[in-house]
Amino acid sequence: MSELMIGDKWMLLMLALAINLFASITMYSMIGHLQMLRIMRQYWLLSGALVYGLGLWVSHFIILLTSNSMIMLDWTIIVKLFGIMGSAYGSFRLLGSRAPHAVRLLGGSLLMDLGTGSLIYSTVLSTNVEQYSIDTSLACFGFLFSFIGTAFSFYMFERKSGYMLIAGLLLGFTGIIMQLIGLEMVTVVYSVVLTADRLNDYMQLLSVVLGLATLVIFVFSLVARYVDRRYAAMNERYKLLVETSIDMIAIIHDEKWEYINRSGLHMFEANGENDMLGKPVYQFLQPKYHTLMKRMLQVTKQRARQSPIELDWFTVQGKPLHTEVIETSTKLSGKPVFQIIIRDISERKKNEELLINSEKLYVAGQLAAGIAHEIRNPLTSLKGFLQLIASGRNTSKNYYDIMKSELNRIESIVSELLMLSKPQIYELAYKDIRTVMADTITLLEAQAILHNIEIESHFSEEALWVRGVENQLKQVFINVLKNAIEVMMDGGIITVTCMRDAQDKSRIIARIADRGPGIPQEQLSKIGQPFYTTKEKGTGLGLMVTYKIVDNHQGSIEVNSSVGDGTTFDIILPYQEPVEATGTETWSKVTPIQRLRQDDENAS
């Protein structure tokens, strides 16, 4: 090895070292992109193997120029190039596999050294060798040195972020030193002697080949440099978006936290990543949501982003945390993971509770004011009459009739309020709505005649079955029909229609249409509110009770009105045919009706 430093040979050695270092660093820069999920994964593997193979191949022939070894240029040099490329490619594939870390590290190093050793020995021990001898101890030392150096270089590349340059330098030095040791440990006697002309031809051809190979390495290094800069810029943008997000962005693998951004650590009151990373997700999730989380983390296939799900957590400090969670399944470094975005809604929950409480207080205040107003009027009359009777001025019987009427009015208001506020138990039965409506019309027919009103009825020929309470359904129809009769001061026709919905056969429509003055659009939205009425002596509770009864029967009411043309009430109920529709009533067991509309719940 000492003769390598004689004359200008050390310059060739420095050139070989520079090329090998350059190729090793470029190779690591290329296969470093394997840590990302890219479509062109195989391209980067093959490109890295080509660059490293060319670098080692070129540096090897340059080192041969500085030694007494014979250089033979034939078709085998291409085989040698593909051999070192194949070993490098296999080493990279093993490094990127899911094998245990020790297996990947040692196996990849062994493959790389076998490729380097095969290049050295296949070149030195050519077909023109007459005899040779190998220093076994030096050969074992060279292989062990190269194996340890390559393994340590791979370790730094995989585990030490930012040490790519050092790993490349270490691998390049290891390759050069192994080649120098390989030339020293083999003594060869050749059977042929190269002439000066033939050697000159070899040198010209070799210079062209080495120049082209060096140019290829340089081009690939430029490509790797360009991709590195693009990747660094893109990575910086994504990192900026993730780290500065006000929401928590995290990655879950094997039901454990694998990554959490700064906002997430702050949200969970963690002092650092060690407080959460690597720990089970369920450690911070409230127990009632464990089953839901297990279902969310069952990966079967790539799923689209779903609607937010509300989950309650515990922070690291043990405080409750209300959140909305969006979960997406994806892959990271070839392994299935879940990306979740968590938004803290604790403040929103508090505001919602405050808003609900304020609405309840507002409705309770309105209801109390309405009750006080409606009851105070008859109480004032009763108080005045009692004072007159107590004074003995007049004991006319008419006073008692008026007082009785006012008491009945108070009783009516209290009864309707009790019906609204207290869940009651009723017996549900299958009823033909045509029969219920016909009975209601019969009850109100006399009152309609007194107001010069005619009630026209149009009933479907098929039975219109509903499941409910007959008296309550009658109360609904009575309330609507009485309102229609009272608003038609000049008489006219009220049209009553009972039929199946033409568009949805699962619904029954009971339609009551009057020809009264109609209701302005701005007042339609207030219909059904407590104590809202357009009648002089109305309480506003009749339609409120009507809406509640219909809602308890899983139905709805639609009102259409036009000023001057009249108003139409569509009472929509679900069609429920008895199991044995024989015309007889089929009674159910005692069933509570407690489902209230949202505004009714607030009012009660």
Side-chain angles (χ1 to χ4, degrees):
M1 188 183 299
S2 59
E3 67 180 13
L4 293 176
M5 307 303 297
I6 300 174
D8 295 333
K9 291 183 178 181
W10 67 271
M11 297 180 62
L12 293 177
L13 179 61
M14 291 297 102
L15 177 61
L17 177 61
I19 291 175
N20 203 37
L21 292 176
F22 190 58
S24 299
I25 295 172
T26 303
M27 176 269 295
Y28 273 134
S29 178
M30 287 183 167
I31 68 172
H33 298 292
L34 298 178
Q35 297 173 2
M36 301 181 296
L37 290 178
R38 288 182 174 269
I39 298 175
M40 303 179 68
R41 173 186 174 89
Q42 297 302 322
Y43 166 77
W44 291 109
L45 278 174
L46 291 172
S47 298
L50 173 62
V51 168
Y52 180 76
L54 279 173
L56 191 65
W57 186 73
V58 170
S59 63
H60 174 67
F61 279 103
I62 293 176
I63 291 176
L64 287 179
L65 293 176
T66 64
S67 68
N68 295 325
S69 300
M70 182 178 295
I71 301 177
M72 300 296 297
L73 299 181
D74 53 17
W75 62 271
T76 59
I77 64 174
I78 303 299
V79 176
K80 297 168 187 175
L81 174 61
F82 279 101
I84 186 60
M85 286 176 54
S87 65
Y89 178 78
S91 177
F92 301 156
R93 287 295 300 268
L94 185 57
L95 284 176
S97 68
R98 297 185 180 181
H101 182 251
V103 174
R104 292 188 289 107
L105 194 65
L106 299 179
S109 302
L110 181 62
L111 280 176
M112 188 72 81
D113 288 343
L114 288 176
T116 305
S118 64
L119 174 65
I120 296 172
Y121 295 123
S122 63
T123 303
V124 176
L125 302 176
S126 61
T127 56
N128 297 313
V129 175
E130 184 174 328
Q131 65 181 35
Y132 66 91
S133 62
I134 300 177
D135 187 341
T136 307
S137 59
L138 189 59
C140 293
F141 171 77
F143 180 81
L144 183 61
F145 175 83
S146 177
F147 178 79
I148 295 175
T150 304
F152 192 63
S153 175
F154 284 165
Y155 173 78
M156 295 185 69
F157 168 71
E158 278 195 333
R159 294 293 183 180
K160 304 292 184 179
S161 177
Y163 281 62
M164 187 180 297
L165 177 62
I166 298 178
L169 292 175
L170 180 60
L171 184 63
F173 275 111
T174 301
I176 290 295
I177 293 174
M178 183 177 181
Q179 292 187 63
L180 295 176
I181 294 175
L183 294 178
E184 285 291 323
M185 69 185 180
V186 179
T187 303
V188 181
V189 178
Y190 295 99
S191 60
V192 296
V193 178
L194 290 177
T195 63
D197 293 337
R198 190 173 184 183
L199 179 60
N200 186 50
D201 293 339
Y202 274 1
M203 291 300 101
Q204 291 180 359
L205 179 60
L206 184 61
S207 63
V208 173
V209 173
L210 296 182
L212 290 175
T214 306
L215 180 62
V216 171
I217 296 174
F218 181 73
V219 170
F220 271 97
S221 68
L222 291 179
V223 173
R225 177 63 177 170
Y226 173 76
V227 173
D228 274 340
R229 295 183 64 181
R230 291 292 301 271
Y231 166 67
M234 182 175 61
N235 186 51
E236 189 66 25
R237 286 197 298 268
Y238 281 117
K239 185 177 181 180
L240 184 65
L241 288 173
V242 171
E243 291 298 331
T244 59
S245 172
I246 61 174
D247 296 327
M248 174 179 176
I249 300 176
I251 293 175
I252 298 175
H253 176 59
D254 288 339
E255 299 183 347
K256 296 180 180 179
W257 300 109
E258 184 163 297
Y259 167 78
I260 300 174
N261 66 347
R262 286 198 299 264
S263 297
L265 296 175
H266 177 72
M267 183 184 299
F268 277 82
E269 299 180 333
N271 295 323
E273 293 182 347
N274 294 333
D275 290 343
M276 295 187 67
L277 294 187
K279 296 184 179 180
V281 178
Y282 307 105
Q283 179 176 338
F284 304 97
L285 186 64
Q286 293 192 11
K288 61 181 178 181
Y289 295 104
H290 285 186
T291 303
L292 177 59
M293 178 59 73
K294 286 184 180 295
R295 289 201 302 266
M296 290 173 60
L297 298 182
Q298 287 177 352
V299 55
T300 54
K301 60 180 180 180
Q302 193 80 7
R303 291 182 292 180
R305 190 177 297 273
Q306 301 177 349
S307 301
I309 299 174
E310 291 192 7
L311 296 177
D312 293 341
W313 308 77
F314 293 111
T315 66
V316 175
Q317 308 301 328
K319 297 180 182 179
L321 180 65
H322 304 285
T323 65
E324 276 184 348
V325 178
I326 295 179
E327 165 261 343
T328 305
S329 61
T330 182
K331 286 188 176 182
L332 181 64
S333 300
K335 58 185 179 182
V337 297
F338 291 91
Q339 174 191 339
I340 63 173
I341 300 175
I342 302 178
R343 173 166 295 178
D344 186 357
I345 60 171
S346 300
E347 194 66 29
R348 192 178 79 186
K349 283 284 188 182
K350 292 179 182 178
N351 293 335
E352 287 177 355
E353 291 178 1
L354 291 174
L355 182 60
I356 291 173
N357 290 333
S358 64
E359 287 181 349
K360 287 181 177 179
L361 291 174
Y362 173 74
V363 172
Q366 274 193 325
L367 188 61
I371 294 172
H373 174 74
E374 292 298 325
I375 295 181
R376 184 175 58 182
N377 290 337
L379 285 178
T380 301
S381 301
L382 288 171
K383 183 178 179 181
F385 291 140
L386 286 174
Q387 288 176 346
L388 285 175
I389 295 173
S391 65
R393 298 178 184 178
N394 195 330
T395 57
S396 174
K397 184 180 179 181
N398 187 41
Y399 288 169
Y400 294 103
D401 293 336
I402 297 175
M403 293 171 64
K404 184 177 180 181
S405 174
E406 294 300 304
L407 288 172
N408 289 335
R409 177 176 172 81
I410 293 174
E411 183 182 15
S412 175
I413 293 173
V414 172
S415 298
E416 289 178 330
L417 287 172
L418 285 174
M419 182 177 181
L420 289 171
S421 62
K422 184 174 65 177
Q424 301 181 31
I425 296 178
Y426 301 96
E427 290 183 347
L428 302 182
Y430 291 100
K431 292 292 181 180
D432 188 345
I433 207 67
R434 300 175 302 173
T435 304
V436 179
M437 182 64 79
D439 293 343
T440 305
I441 294 175
T442 301
L443 289 173
L444 298 177
E445 195 169 19
Q447 184 178 350
I449 293 173
L450 291 176
H451 287 79
N452 196 26
I453 294 173
E454 179 183 356
I455 301 177
E456 288 186 356
S457 58
H458 304 278
F459 295 159
S460 171
E461 294 183 359
E462 63 174 321
L464 304 176
W465 294 103
V466 296
R467 186 169 182 264
V469 182
E470 182 178 9
N471 290 335
Q472 288 192 1
L473 294 174
K474 282 184 180 180
Q475 184 66 44
V476 169
F477 300 147
I478 288 173
N479 289 343
V480 178
L481 277 172
K482 283 183 65 178
N483 286 342
I485 292 171
E486 291 174 0
V487 298
M488 295 176 63
M489 306 300 296
D490 299 329
I493 298 176
I494 296 176
T495 305
V496 178
T497 306
C498 295
M499 59 184 177
R500 290 276 289 275
D501 191 341
Q503 297 180 350
D504 187 356
K505 294 296 183 181
S506 65
R507 305 195 313 170
I508 294 173
I509 299 177
R511 179 171 296 160
I512 300 175
D514 63 54
R515 296 295 181 268
I519 304 173
Q521 291 297 321
E522 60 270 14
Q523 296 181 2
L524 281 178
S525 60
K526 299 180 181 180
I527 290 179
Q529 294 183 4
F531 304 109
Y532 178 79
T533 179
T534 58
K535 295 187 293 184
E536 182 179 354
K537 296 184 179 181
T539 64
L541 296 176
L543 281 180
M544 188 175 180
V545 172
T546 298
Y547 271 94
K548 181 178 184 297
I549 292 174
V550 173
D551 190 59
N552 284 345
H553 286 76
Q554 289 78 51
S556 61
I557 296 178
E558 296 178 0
V559 183
N560 296 295
S561 184
S562 178
V563 177
D565 292 334
T567 304
T568 301
F569 275 78
D570 281 353
I571 303 164
I572 302 172
L573 297 168
Y575 177 81
Q576 299 188 47
E577 187 175 356
V579 178
E580 296 179 359
T582 58
T584 60
E585 298 177 352
T586 306
W587 292 89
S588 70
K589 296 181 180 180
V590 176
T591 306
I593 302 181
Q594 300 182 13
R595 192 168 67 89
L596 309 180
R597 293 186 305 153
Q598 186 65 33
D599 54 346
D600 291 339
E601 290 179 354
N602 295 335
S604 61

